[in-house]
């Protein structure tokens, strides 16, 4: 055998050894992951039993309620008076609307800024 073929055989053997070690390292990493996962699951609380699951209320499932809401009016500033600060305003709750009609966006409008519609003209 010539020295060139021996060097090629030695490099090929070294490459095989490196690939084998990489494969063993990957298998060890996967096995460690499964081991860690089992430890984490062991420390978790047990799953609830069927009798511990949420139950429907006696009156049956909750239904959706649709209503229109209006915001409370902001108090008007008297002539010569100073504006109210946010701390002086009460909690501005909303109230049910007297109108049952749903508010719609104007025609040709997307309803949002940058939504791609032509907008109102």
């Amino acid at each position: 055998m010539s020295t060139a073929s021996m060097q090629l055989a030695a490099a090929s053997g070294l490459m095989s050894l490196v690939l084998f070690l990489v494969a063993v390292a990957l298998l060890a990493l996967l096995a460690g992951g499964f081991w860690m996962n089992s430890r984490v699951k062991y420390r978790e609380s047990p799953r609830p039993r069927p009798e511990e699951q949420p139950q429907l209320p006696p009156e049956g499932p909750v239904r959706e309620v649709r209503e229109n809401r209006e915001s409370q009016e902001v108090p008007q500033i008297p002539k010569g008076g100073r504006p109210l600060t946010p701390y002086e305003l009460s909690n501005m709750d909303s109230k049910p609307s007297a109108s049952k009609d749903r508010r719609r966006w104007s025609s040709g409008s997307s309803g949002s800024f940058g939504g791609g519609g032509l907008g109102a003209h």
Side-chain angles (χ1 to χ4, degrees):
M1 270 179 115
S2 69
T3 57
S5 63
M6 288 180 71
Q7 287 177 347
L8 186 60
S12 174
L14 183 61
M15 186 60 138
S16 297
L17 180 63
V18 168
L19 286 176
F20 176 74
L21 291 176
V22 166
V24 168
L26 282 175
L27 286 174
L29 190 65
L30 281 172
F34 279 111
W35 177 73
M36 284 291 289
N37 188 28
S38 66
R39 287 189 59 200
V40 168
K41 281 192 172 190
Y42 180 74
R43 282 188 260 147
E44 288 178 353
S45 59
R47 291 187 176 162
R49 295 187 307 274
E51 60 270 7
E52 296 173 338
Q53 297 289 332
Q55 302 292 322
L56 279 177
E59 58 272 2
V62 178
R63 299 287 181 225
E64 180 178 318
V65 176
R66 285 189 178 218
E67 64 181 5
N68 296 329
R69 306 224 22 116
E70 298 177 343
S71 59
Q72 299 284 348
E73 293 294 323
V74 177
Q76 294 291 323
I77 302 169
K79 276 274 196 218
R82 66 172 183 76
L84 296 174
T85 64
Y87 304 104
E88 294 171 323
L89 292 172
S90 65
N91 187 7
M92 303 303 276
D93 289 334
S94 63
K95 61 183 178 184
S97 173
S99 169
K100 298 297 177 194
D101 296 330
R102 289 182 57 199
R103 294 175 54 191
R104 300 285 181 191
W105 300 109
S106 58
S107 63
S109 171
S110 66
S112 66
F113 176 75
L118 296 174
H121 292 299

